[in-house]
Amino acid sequence: MLANFKKGLVSAPKELNSPSHDPQHKYHQQNQHPLNHFLNSNPNSLSFSFGNDASLAFDPSSHTSNSSQRRLFSSMEDIYCIFLGGLDNLCTLNKQYGLTKLANEPMFVIQAYKTLRDRGPYPAHSVLREMEGSFGFILYDLKAKTVFVSLGADGGVKLFWGIAADGSVVISDNLMVIKSSCSKSFAPFPTGCMYHTEGGLMSFEHPKNKMKAISRVDSEGVMCGATFKVDVYSKTTQALPRVGSEANWATWG
């Protein structure tokens, strides 16, 4: 799966940019648009473009018997979600959110997002901690111009994110697409974390702790985009909404 968001729609941490910037490679990158590369590599893919703001792509032929490798897509009310992996407690979650037994994982994520967006009673990190299994997802709310990304804590699913030559942010489970579009300015998306347009990157396992950038060097000794881990010694000053509050996505949490 692939998502490409224009600069500003997703404000990736500045440390994701590689300090070993190569202008010549940047020129080469301009012909390596991530969506085109993904579609060329996956001829059976479906893609969705939303003007110059965002592009999503998904390969419906990639289903396997391994639940951690499943890729699913759903959309509802101009909200689009690509989901990788599977939830072990999906039936319980569907019942909790008033969905039918036939609702799949991206349908649940959309419903959970709508509940949070429309002043639901739970902060985002509490909802994500209820999701059991190996999962990663990318959600785009077209009307609100909002991006929501998360990766489960067990490491069973991997996502990567990077900054392309034009400053756009690329998110995918396809490492080759990331490398061709972002050169060295990429890193694994941190496990147990979520990104939201309004609140940036945070850990849903440790929401009261800040995230810190960890320098990363590849096998050639070249500095790459930094990865991010929970800083156990640093607490965030951002207040977390309480259960039953009227807090919504605008105040994050």
Side-chain angles (χ1 to χ4, degrees):
M1 64 180 180
L2 171 83
N4 186 30
F5 301 106
K6 75 172 184 179
K7 183 179 180 181
L9 185 62
V10 172
S11 299
K14 63 182 185 298
E15 295 90 348
L16 199 57
N17 264 310
S18 168
S20 304
H21 181 67
D22 184 349
Q24 291 184 346
H25 192 89
K26 180 176 180 179
Y27 178 81
H28 174 69
Q29 282 179 311
Q30 292 175 351
N31 295 321
Q32 297 294 316
H33 191 280
L35 179 60
N36 292 338
H37 187 156
F38 185 86
L39 295 178
N40 289 335
S41 302
N42 301 273
N44 295 320
S45 294
L46 301 175
S47 64
F48 306 85
S49 294
F50 309 94
N52 295 321
D53 290 340
S55 298
L56 301 175
F58 158 72
D59 185 356
S61 66
S62 61
H63 296 302
T64 69
S65 57
N66 186 343
S67 62
S68 66
Q69 299 301 316
R70 291 189 306 156
R71 293 164 179 83
L72 304 171
F73 173 82
S74 288
S75 65
M76 179 190 306
E77 300 176 8
D78 286 327
I79 302 172
Y80 302 83
C81 180
I82 306 176
F83 189 98
L84 175 61
L87 297 178
D88 299 333
N89 61 335
L90 179 61
C91 291
T92 300
L93 293 172
N94 282 343
K95 183 177 181 180
Q96 180 180 341
Y97 282 81
L99 297 172
T100 69
K101 295 180 180 180
L102 298 179
N104 62 14
E105 283 89 346
M107 291 177 184
F108 161 73
V109 170
I110 291 173
Q111 184 60 42
Y113 166 80
K114 288 175 59 183
T115 301
L116 291 162
R117 183 196 63 184
D118 302 333
R119 299 182 179 273
Y122 300 106
H125 62 84
S126 293
V127 174
L128 292 171
R129 281 204 299 249
E130 292 177 347
M131 296 167 60
E132 300 174 3
S134 298
F135 68 88
F137 65 79
I138 303 169
L139 180 147
Y140 179 53
D141 184 339
L142 177 60
K143 290 182 179 178
K145 303 295 184 183
T146 297
V147 177
F148 179 33
V149 184
S150 185
L151 184 63
D154 68 353
V157 168
K158 297 185 184 300
L159 282 178
F160 302 90
W161 62 341
I163 300 175
D166 61 358
S168 63
V169 175
V170 185
I171 307 171
S172 180
D173 61 331
N174 188 319
L175 182 56
M176 295 307 297
V177 171
I178 292 287
K179 286 183 175 181
S180 70
S181 305
C182 306
S183 185
K184 304 295 183 180
S185 295
F186 78 93
F189 192 90
T191 57
C193 289
M194 59 182 179
Y195 173 90
H196 184 269
T197 300
E198 298 294 336
L201 180 68
M202 67 176 289
S203 167
F204 64 77
E205 289 194 304
H206 307 281
K208 294 183 179 181
N209 292 84
K210 294 181 179 180
M211 302 293 294
K212 64 178 180 180
I214 307 296
S215 299
R216 194 168 60 91
V217 179
D218 67 9
S219 59
E220 300 174 346
V222 179
M223 291 290 293
C224 299
T227 189
F228 294 85
K229 294 185 178 180
V230 174
D231 187 347
V232 296
Y233 300 106
S234 181
K235 299 291 185 180
T236 180
T237 58
Q238 188 173 8
L240 296 175
R242 298 185 301 273
V243 171
S245 74
E246 295 183 350
N248 62 7
W249 285 106
T251 55
W252 191 226

